[in-house]
Amino acid sequence: MKQLELLKKHFGYDSFRPLQEQIINDVLDHKDLMVVMPTGGGKSMCFQLPSLMLDGITLVISPLIALMKDQVDSLKANGIHAGYFNSSQDSSQQQELIAALNSKSLKLLYVAPESIQLLQNYLQPKDVALIAVDEAHCISTWGHDFRPAYTQLTYLKKSFSQASMIALTATADRATREDIKKQLDISDAQEYVASFDRPNLTLEVRPGNNRLAQLRQFLKKYKDESGIIYCLSRKSCEKLADQLSGLGYSVAAYHAGLEHRFRESVQEQFIKDEIKIVCATIAFGMGIDKSNVRFVIHYNMPKNIEGYYQEIGRAGRDGADSNALLFHSYADVIQLRNFAMDSGNSEVQIAKLERMKQFAEALTCRRRMLLSYFNEYLDTDCGNCDVCLNKPDFFDATVLAQKALSAVYRMKEQASLNLLIDVLRGAQNATVIESGFQTIKTYGAGKDISWNNWQQYIIQLINQGLLEIAFHEYNHLKLTPQAQAVLFENQPVQLAVIPKPEELAARKSAVEQLPSDVNKELYEALRKLRMQLASQKNLAPYMVFSDVTLKDIAARIPLDKEEFEDITGVGAHKLEIYASDFLSLTQEYKMMRTSDFVYRVATSSPKKKKTPKTDTVFESVQMYWDGKTVEEIAIIRELKEDTILGHLSKRYISHKDVDISPYINISDVENIESKYDLFKEHNALKPLYEHFKGSYSYGILRLAITLIEANVKAI
Ligand code: ADP
Ligand code: MG
């Protein structure tokens, strides 16, 4: 079949993901479509593959510049002619693109919504075969991420009347879908809504006490792998990043309070596997298509299931096993509740938070619960969440429950959860004494149970509907009608045994180990090789090969080109470029004893194809990445510091993966900016240099101009 052949040839994949094939066939039939697929479901393929078969260009509207560059780089890495057009490019890059358009050689063109009008001067409507609107929810004010520039897309269908249109998004309920179709003028478009299940994500929830220790335990399983840790506040992002960095992890913080340039550089380094872990607020992730994120951790509880689901969706896009870990703490819930109360539609938000909390406290299959939220129902338990993997033991907790419920009763339902526990445990703190509850009969009746365990048990009682939190009454606990039966009719209560911390740490997790058929030593060596090749080619490692491909190589150990071609993710283009490097590794592995192989890989310096002498910029940049200062680099390379600053500026312009801001202070930038016109007029630094009478060196002037221009052009 033609489509399948192309899938293998260009992308290296053997089969379609659910719905891809039907969608692609419809696109080839020139139908308008509305596609909803979860993150990582493979939406891009739905227009990328047809673009290779259509007569004419495929326009892809994409909201984020970083995402655009990423996708185009990935396509190019597969030998597909693609380009992008946005305001971050300088005029020579734009000219180059326009030349490519004129020669009609481009298959795919990514465009920012803001730039679409500009582009119309260079595009003949008849040359456009397909328009793909990615992240289409941005067009709808009903969607969660409305972008004004997207409303300009309303005219696309009129301007390019011959082209068919496909709108794609990961989040759109029925109302949003209707709105998207209406606005894009494709009201009759056929809808495809894929399953939201992501079976390769292991779902785990753990109690949020001692998070850092739990985190360290968890990270042992993910040595050198990429992951995102979501925190509630900017401050907690920074604190956690500091703590982890102090423990030797490769980590950075990311939140909206950081300088734009710095954030971009964190993102870029994360994409390239140069930073492994990012501690972020939910501002992070939208612009990232990185396929090898192996874990997403919620250090704090998300405020609703939609957000949670979208965030965990950023793990495991490549389809390889990945982990979504959520820390659940009562304190977070209270805090989120307070936020919700202060917001506009607090009732809805509180109800959503309640669902989130129920999910976190579930004693039944989490995936079933999660999917049911999106009106999708599984017939069986998933077998890949912590509940399924560790079916809890239950015990007869009737007496324990009676103690708690009776204390609530005797305190006239005027105590919060914390106070209840204090009273049960016979605490003598000020709150207890002031309340006078030390005189009730159940005071101290639960001394034998630890504070934390009481908390867990009471949450279970709440979950079972025996207690309610009166959120509008200072979070006091109230008895429900069912509680009466337990208190006065001796109705039995079963509670789940709380796992001990060491049991929690030893809990079965589906991703603890790579599957046993994977040769771990070979896999590690393959990763190392991938990193070397990526840095030579200036690509993100996952663009060389995904984790899934490396795992497949490690499992099957191909020894010649034919066998290598069979590996998932190896298409014709990558076969040509990479087969020999990877095959020499697999052959070596096959021939040597494992221990010798490990020794060989560890001791050999990378087989560097020397960077050409002419790439003097990159030589400085590599030293910078090695942690050397500008001064040191200048000494080693026997160049002027100014020259090195110039190199870093150049690199910043082309890749944004070095941080140049520390070398200059803001007031100097502002000072130079006030005379920016002098530079602009002559497109040379000399007039500036002369104006400031030499008080700024050429290197500093170059830095300032770079920063000024980056700022001007940033969207
Ligand atoms: P989405 O845009 O839906 O979030 P992407 O289009 O970025 O997802 O695809 C996620 C990953 O899945 C990418 O690495 C892509 O190469 C891969 N992928 C897409 N289609 C297939 C397929 N048929 N087989 C294997 N991998 C695929
Ligand atoms: Mg996508």
Side-chain angles (χ1 to χ4, degrees):
M1 214 189 142
K2 191 102 200 292
Q3 278 89 313
L4 257 187
E5 274 168 28
L6 285 174
L7 183 70
K8 178 65 192 165
K9 178 169 174 235
H10 290 284
F11 300 93
Y13 301 135
D14 296 316
S15 59
F16 285 108
R17 296 249 181 95
L19 293 187
Q20 279 181 336
E21 193 170 8
Q22 294 94 305
I23 294 171
I24 288 168
N25 285 336
D26 274 1
V27 170
L28 292 172
D29 280 347
H30 302 287
K31 291 188 184 149
D32 294 328
L33 303 177
M34 164 86 240
V35 171
V36 184
M37 248 188 213
T39 310
K43 288 185 283 297
S44 319
M45 193 63 77
C46 300
F47 53 84
Q48 287 175 347
L49 189 96
S51 79
L52 303 172
M53 304 172 73
L54 288 168
D55 198 12
I57 197 166
T58 294
L59 272 189
V60 186
I61 318 295
S62 173
L64 287 156
I65 291 177
L67 203 74
M68 219 178 266
K69 181 174 177 307
D70 233 43
Q71 294 218 358
V72 169
D73 284 350
S74 284
L75 285 164
K76 284 184 178 162
N78 276 321
I80 296 169
H81 198 176
Y84 62 91
F85 185 83
N86 64 41
S87 61
S88 79
Q89 292 166 305
D90 60 30
S91 60
S92 74
Q93 286 169 314
Q94 293 193 344
Q95 287 310 323
E96 205 174 293
L97 185 96
I98 289 160
L101 273 180
N102 287 336
S103 72
K104 309 222 185 303
S105 56
L106 273 186
K107 285 276 126 201
L108 289 127
L109 174 57
Y110 284 70
V111 198
E114 292 80 0
S115 310
I116 191 94
Q117 306 276 11
L118 260 179
L119 195 67
Q120 289 201 8
N121 301 334
Y122 308 104
L123 264 184
Q124 299 291 330
K126 67 175 172 33
D127 291 338
V128 178
L130 173 65
I131 300 173
V133 181
D134 208 1
E135 315 289 349
H137 55 274
C138 296
I139 197 173
S140 171
T141 42
W142 299 62
H144 61 87
D145 198 22
F146 172 65
R147 291 183 168 233
Y150 256 64
T151 51
Q152 298 179 17
L153 306 182
T154 305
Y155 300 101
L156 279 181
K157 198 65 195 173
K158 288 195 183 66
S159 309
F160 299 94
S161 54
Q162 286 182 336
S164 52
M165 186 175 269
I166 176 170
L168 310 107
T169 172
T171 51
D173 56 18
R174 198 180 302 279
T176 314
R177 296 203 291 272
E178 287 305 320
D179 195 29
I180 293 171
K181 290 199 292 185
K182 198 171 127 226
Q183 297 221 40
L184 289 176
D185 201 6
I186 50 168
S187 295
D188 295 332
Q190 157 130 26
E191 285 192 13
Y192 282 99
V193 181
S195 164
F196 266 59
D197 194 9
R198 298 278 311 279
N200 64 316
L201 295 188
T202 303
L203 307 175
E204 282 195 75
V205 181
R206 296 193 186 199
N209 47 348
N210 230 341
R211 277 176 251 205
L212 193 61
Q214 292 196 57
L215 197 58
R216 290 179 71 179
Q217 187 69 26
F218 178 92
L219 291 176
K220 273 190 198 159
K221 296 179 219 151
Y222 289 97
K223 234 178 129 234
D224 292 333
E225 305 269 17
S226 297
I228 306 172
I229 306 179
Y230 285 110
C231 305
L232 203 55
S233 65
R234 297 172 179 189
K235 227 166 113 188
S236 56
C237 290
E238 286 184 4
K239 187 169 162 213
L240 183 62
D242 277 351
Q243 284 170 322
L244 289 176
S245 147
L247 292 166
Y249 293 98
S250 155
V251 57
Y254 182 105
H255 57 73
L258 295 170
E259 220 193 331
H260 176 71
R261 288 188 292 273
F262 182 75
R263 276 195 328 227
E264 280 210 335
S265 122
V266 168
Q267 180 161 320
E268 183 82 18
Q269 292 180 68
F270 180 65
I271 288 170
K272 290 194 166 173
D273 292 356
E274 288 159 7
I275 290 175
K276 298 294 195 279
I277 304 172
V278 175
C279 299
T281 55
I282 52 175
F284 185 74
M286 165 85 180
I288 295 189
D289 249 355
K290 182 175 164 72
S291 79
N292 63 337
V293 175
R294 292 275 71 87
F295 60 88
V296 167
I297 296 174
H298 284 89
Y299 204 69
N300 300 99
M301 183 108 141
K303 61 177 193 265
N304 56 42
I305 290 190
E306 285 95 340
Y308 168 73
Y309 199 71
Q310 209 187 16
E311 282 135 32
I312 65 171
R314 290 168 188 152
R317 280 171 180 259
D318 53 11
D321 289 342
S322 307
N323 199 312
L325 170 64
L326 163 70
F327 285 116
H328 167 41
S329 97
Y330 189 72
D332 286 351
V333 176
I334 299 281
Q335 194 177 353
L336 287 168
R337 172 165 292 280
N338 290 339
F339 288 160
M341 302 265 233
D342 295 341
S343 75
N345 57 346
S346 56
E347 245 169 74
V348 178
Q349 297 216 22
I350 286 171
K352 288 190 168 189
L353 175 62
E354 192 59 25
R355 293 285 298 263
M356 186 66 226
K357 194 164 83 61
Q358 287 162 2
F359 169 79
E361 290 162 357
L363 292 173
T364 51
C365 173
R366 290 198 205 277
R367 194 173 316 266
R368 291 180 86 163
M369 196 161 166
L370 195 57
L371 289 173
S372 74
Y373 186 85
F374 298 105
N375 302 319
E376 210 180 311
Y377 302 95
L378 292 181
D379 295 334
T380 50
D381 287 353
C382 75
N384 192 20
C385 69
D386 59 322
V387 179
C388 286
L389 291 167
N390 305 276
K391 284 259 182 270
D393 292 328
F394 287 88
F395 68 103
D396 177 11
T398 313
V399 175
L400 183 150
Q402 283 170 340
K403 284 183 189 168
L405 299 178
S406 132
V408 172
Y409 179 73
R410 286 168 201 277
M411 292 188 287
K412 307 210 164 33
E413 305 185 318
Q414 298 295 311
S416 65
L417 188 138
N418 288 1
L419 182 55
L420 169 63
I421 298 175
D422 282 347
V423 168
L424 284 166
R425 287 183 36 78
Q428 300 185 344
N429 58 36
T431 328
V432 174
I433 308 299
E434 274 163 29
S435 64
F437 291 145
Q438 74 276 30
T439 57
I440 67 166
K441 200 172 153 211
T442 25
Y443 178 73
K447 261 197 177 71
D448 51 328
I449 295 174
S450 74
W451 207 96
N452 282 343
N453 282 8
W454 263 123
Q455 189 184 29
Q456 300 279 340
Y457 290 138
I458 295 168
I459 288 172
Q460 289 191 46
L461 294 176
I462 296 171
N463 264 351
Q464 293 195 12
L466 296 172
L467 284 173
E468 258 170 11
I469 304 176
F471 290 108
H472 306 293
E473 281 181 53
Y474 312 105
N475 303 320
H476 288 167
L477 292 171
K478 306 279 171 184
L479 298 170
T480 65
Q482 288 103 297
Q484 313 286 338
V486 176
L487 267 178
F488 304 116
E489 293 157 33
N490 234 9
Q491 183 176 299
V493 176
Q494 295 263 312
L495 291 182
V497 176
I498 297 160
K500 296 204 180 75
E502 58 270 26
E503 285 169 352
L504 266 186
R507 260 188 163 182
K508 260 185 280 168
S509 164
V511 278
E512 256 167 23
Q513 305 259 325
L514 294 168
S516 56
D517 57 346
V518 170
N519 302 295
K520 205 164 166 27
E521 296 78 10
L522 177 56
Y523 180 68
E524 287 308 322
L526 291 168
R527 277 166 46 110
K528 197 170 161 190
L529 175 61
R530 172 174 71 174
M531 190 69 178
Q532 286 161 14
L533 292 170
S535 70
Q536 277 167 25
K537 292 190 189 299
N538 226 327
L539 282 175
Y542 72 85
M543 288 180 192
V544 173
F545 281 132
S546 73
D547 285 5
V548 177
T549 300
L550 296 195
K551 282 179 187 176
D552 203 26
I553 298 176
R556 291 159 66 180
I557 318 184
L559 295 174
D560 57 35
K561 259 182 132 173
E562 243 170 32
E563 288 175 357
F564 196 72
E565 195 177 3
D566 245 19
I567 298 290
T568 184
V570 178
H573 189 69
K574 290 189 179 174
L575 180 73
E576 265 333 294
I577 319 185
Y578 298 124
S580 74
D581 282 318
F582 281 90
L583 285 173
S584 40
L585 202 58
T586 50
Q587 285 157 359
E588 235 180 327
Y589 180 77
K590 200 77 187 173
M591 273 171 3
M592 293 168 120
R593 280 199 322 233
T594 306
S595 55
D596 294 344
F597 176 78
V598 171
Y599 181 75
R600 215 282 297 144
V601 172
T603 51
S604 74
S605 54
K607 246 201 312 176
K608 257 199 196 139
K609 294 193 184 111
K610 266 206 186 136
T611 33
K613 278 251 156 12
T614 48
D615 197 352
T616 171
V617 170
F618 197 60
E619 257 180 68
S620 299
V621 169
Q622 275 181 318
M623 291 186 184
Y624 162 88
W625 280 338
D626 274 349
K628 299 208 167 45
T629 63
V630 168
E631 192 186 356
E632 285 166 346
I633 302 172
I635 294 171
I636 298 170
R637 298 208 56 203
E638 298 180 2
L639 293 169
K640 283 199 218 137
E641 279 183 37
D642 259 8
T643 312
I644 309 298
L645 287 177
H647 290 168
L648 294 181
S649 305
K650 274 202 176 137
R651 178 72 191 186
Y652 182 81
I653 294 169
S654 63
H655 290 81
K656 304 238 175 1
D657 52 7
V658 293
D659 184 11
I660 54 178
S661 49
Y663 304 114
I664 182 166
N665 57 44
I666 292 294
S667 59
D668 288 340
V669 177
E670 281 168 1
N671 204 9
I672 295 167
E673 189 167 18
S674 67
K675 293 289 163 222
Y676 178 69
D677 284 349
L678 265 182
F679 167 79
K680 194 107 185 277
E681 203 179 310
H682 302 89
N683 197 21
L685 293 174
K686 197 159 178 244
L688 274 181
Y689 185 81
E690 287 170 353
H691 171 84
F692 289 111
K693 303 202 170 59
S695 54
Y696 296 119
S697 71
Y698 276 99
I700 291 295
L701 290 171
R702 172 56 61 204
L703 274 187
I705 294 293
T706 306
L707 289 174
I708 292 161
E709 295 194 333
N711 231 357
V712 169
K713 285 177 181 167
I715 275 194

